[in-house]
């Protein structure tokens, strides 16, 4: 049996980041899918994950409006 590592929720931000050809964590780092992908990456690296909402940078704010 293979253990389940993560459940990535459906998220409209994923579709938008693909359309913009921008990584999800740059487009919307606080989206549910981005948070779960970060949690998965931390778990795979053996690091503790603590979610702290972050303020998006200038580029992310500009591209979010597109």
């Amino acid at each position: 049996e293979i253990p389940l590592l993560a459940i990535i929720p459906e998220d409209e931000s994923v579709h938008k980041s693909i359309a913009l050809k921008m990584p999800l964590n740059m487009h919307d780092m606080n989206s549910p899918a981005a948070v779960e992908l970060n949690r998965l990456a931390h778990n795979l690296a053996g690091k503790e994950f603590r979610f702290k909402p972050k303020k998006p940078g200038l580029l992310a704010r500009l591209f979010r409006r597109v």
Side-chain angles (χ1 to χ4, degrees):
E1 186 172 313
I2 298 172
L4 181 63
L5 299 177
I7 297 175
I8 310 299
E10 288 190 38
D11 188 342
E12 186 61 34
S13 291
V14 173
H15 301 289
K16 290 179 183 177
S17 69
I18 291 170
L20 293 170
K21 298 180 182 177
M22 177 183 283
L24 178 60
N25 59 349
M26 286 182 64
H27 171 65
D28 186 359
M29 65 186 88
N30 294 322
S31 73
V35 171
E36 289 306 315
L37 285 169
N38 269 327
R39 184 184 320 276
L40 173 61
H42 276 78
N43 287 342
L44 290 173
K47 296 183 177 181
E48 183 180 348
F49 176 77
R50 289 189 209 138
F51 175 65
K52 299 176 194 163
K54 297 175 182 143
K55 184 177 176 183
L58 176 63
L59 286 178
R61 289 193 310 256
L62 288 174
F63 280 107
R64 183 178 287 173
R65 293 188 177 136
V66 172

